């Protein structure tokens, strides 16, 4: 997809997030909406090499959603791929559904590993990247790429820093951590709850290559992800400055929308705003 089509895809995914959460009356809209552009760039720009026709084929590049509470945006991507139906979306968080509140690899096609216990995803991704390097060396080929999407509140977990140190020590240049830096967690702004400080400098000090972009500038996100995939010698981090609740005015930068679902009236307002945004994108040259 070109940049315009990717923006339309992200808009459609945000639309799905609102519909899912309004139906389930439960879930996490804020962090799902902030990550929509990132997830659209990963899955639909060509940066990730995977079999879009087969969610059960785990032989391509790998994606791990460490911030598992943002599962709705992953499900929205799978919906666009045809891995999930519209009816599936409307079962979010129901007992027995493919779409649990956090991704369940035993229930939902395409999910690499269960996630949502924050601070664990990067460790799993690093282990996967190392395993892929070992396999590739034995086969005499280049290793597959691993992408891991993290939240900034989650970076307060010490296990992430162990994973960062391990990945740099092992020279895992087939690993890319993508940080959704929306500066909100359930209790308030990250800078107030437990600031990450100069996160770019800290990641660099741990031996990672770092690129910071506007996480809602689709072209910039795609370019940064592509550059991270092409980089050699060290693992890469793409720090994406985002707005929690992006695309829905009354949800933007509001901690109260971390884990609250919209009412029917609120959902209607949100969907109308997203429709207006879609119409504006479609009219662009």
């Amino acid at each position: 997809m070109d940049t315009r089509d990717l923006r339309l895809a992200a808009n459609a995914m945000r639309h799905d997030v609102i519909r899912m959460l309004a139906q389930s009356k439960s879930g996490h809209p804020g962090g799902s909406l902030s990550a929509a552009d990132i997830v659209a760039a990963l899955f639909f720009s060509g940066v990730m090499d995977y079999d879009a026709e087969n969610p059960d084929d785990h032989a391509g590049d790998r994606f791990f959603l460490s911030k598992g509470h943002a599962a709705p945006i992953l499900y929205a991507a799978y919906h666009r791929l045809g891995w999930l139906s519209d009816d599936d979306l409307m079962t979010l968080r129901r007992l027995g559904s493919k779409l649990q509140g956090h991704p369940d690899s035993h229930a939902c096609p395409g999910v690499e590993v269960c996630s949502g216990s924050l601070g664990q995803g990067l460790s799993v991704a690093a282990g996967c990247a190392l395993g892929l390097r070992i396999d590739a060396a034995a086969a005499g080929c280049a290793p597959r790429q691993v992408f891991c999407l993290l939240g900034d509140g989650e970076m307060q977990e010490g296990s992430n820093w162990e994973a960062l140190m391990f990945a740099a020590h092992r020279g895992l240049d087939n690993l890319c951590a993508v940080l959704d830096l929306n500066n909100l967690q359930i209790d308030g702004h990250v800078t107030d709850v437990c600031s990450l400080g100069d996160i770019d400098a800290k990641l660099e000090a741990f031996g990672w290559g770092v690129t910071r972009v506007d996480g809602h500038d689709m072209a910039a996100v795609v370019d940064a992800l592509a550059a991270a995939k092409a980089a050699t010698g060290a693992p890469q981090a793409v720090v994406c400055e985002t707005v929690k609740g992006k695309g829905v005015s009354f949800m933007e930068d509001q901690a109260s929308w971390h884990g609250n679902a919209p009412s029917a009236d609120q959902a209607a307002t949100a969907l109308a705003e997203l429709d207006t945004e879609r119409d504006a994108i479609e009219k662009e040259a």
Side-chain angles (χ1 to χ4, degrees):
M1 293 184 182
D2 62 19
T3 300
R4 176 175 173 275
D5 286 340
L6 287 170
R7 291 172 61 205
L8 288 171
N11 175 274
M13 289 158 61
R14 288 186 171 100
H15 199 280
D16 280 348
V17 167
I18 297 300
R19 292 196 303 121
M20 277 187 271
L21 295 180
Q23 177 69 23
S24 68
K25 298 180 174 61
S26 176
H28 297 79
S32 297
L33 296 172
S34 67
D37 300 298
I38 299 167
V39 175
L42 281 166
F43 278 89
F44 304 115
S45 71
V47 168
M48 276 207 311
D49 181 13
Y50 66 102
D51 187 350
E53 302 300 321
N54 183 8
D56 296 318
D57 178 11
H58 299 280
D61 291 346
R62 314 298 175 85
F63 173 75
F64 293 92
L65 180 66
S66 188
K67 47 177 277 181
H69 55 281
I73 197 60
L74 181 62
Y75 300 152
Y78 287 179
H79 181 220
R80 292 195 62 78
L81 286 167
W83 296 356
L84 297 172
S85 69
D86 200 66
D87 288 341
D88 288 332
L89 296 188
M90 295 300 101
T91 69
L92 176 69
R93 288 181 164 246
R94 288 187 193 170
L95 184 65
S97 170
K98 297 177 185 177
L99 310 187
Q100 293 299 299
H102 294 74
D104 184 347
S105 58
H106 304 289
C108 183
V111 175
E112 291 284 348
V113 66
C114 300
S115 66
S117 184
L118 296 178
Q120 296 186 6
L122 188 59
S123 295
V124 175
C128 179
L130 178 59
L132 291 172
R133 282 188 56 147
I134 293 170
D135 289 347
C141 62
R144 291 293 192 172
Q145 185 77 20
V146 178
F147 293 93
C148 182
L149 179 59
L150 304 112
D152 49 358
E154 167 179 25
M155 291 302 292
Q156 296 159 353
E157 299 278 358
S159 51
N160 275 324
W161 297 93
E162 295 177 32
L164 289 164
M165 183 168 54
F166 169 85
H169 175 72
R170 292 287 185 168
L172 299 180
D173 54 10
N174 62 324
L175 175 62
C176 176
V178 187
L179 181 58
D180 182 10
L181 194 75
N182 60 37
N183 194 33
L184 272 178
Q185 57 192 103
I186 193 169
D187 293 327
H189 287 99
V190 173
T191 46
D192 295 327
V193 177
C194 186
S195 177
L196 301 180
D198 188 344
I199 188 64
D200 298 40
K202 289 179 179 179
L203 292 170
E204 289 173 348
F206 269 66
W208 285 58
V210 181
T211 303
R212 180 179 284 246
V213 296
D214 177 345
H216 302 306
D217 181 335
M218 188 63 75
V221 173
V222 172
D223 287 347
L225 293 172
K229 184 173 182 177
T232 59
Q236 301 295 309
V238 178
V239 178
C240 297
E241 296 180 1
T242 63
V243 176
K244 196 152 187 168
K246 178 68 174 178
V248 178
S249 61
F250 60 86
M251 292 184 179
E252 290 188 354
D253 198 36
Q254 299 296 316
S256 59
W257 287 105
H258 172 85
N260 288 321
S263 67
D265 286 345
Q266 288 170 327
T269 300
L271 293 174
E273 290 187 9
L274 291 169
D275 287 344
T276 298
E277 179 191 51
R278 178 201 61 212
D279 293 344
I281 296 172
E282 287 178 340
K283 290 176 182 177
E284 292 178 4

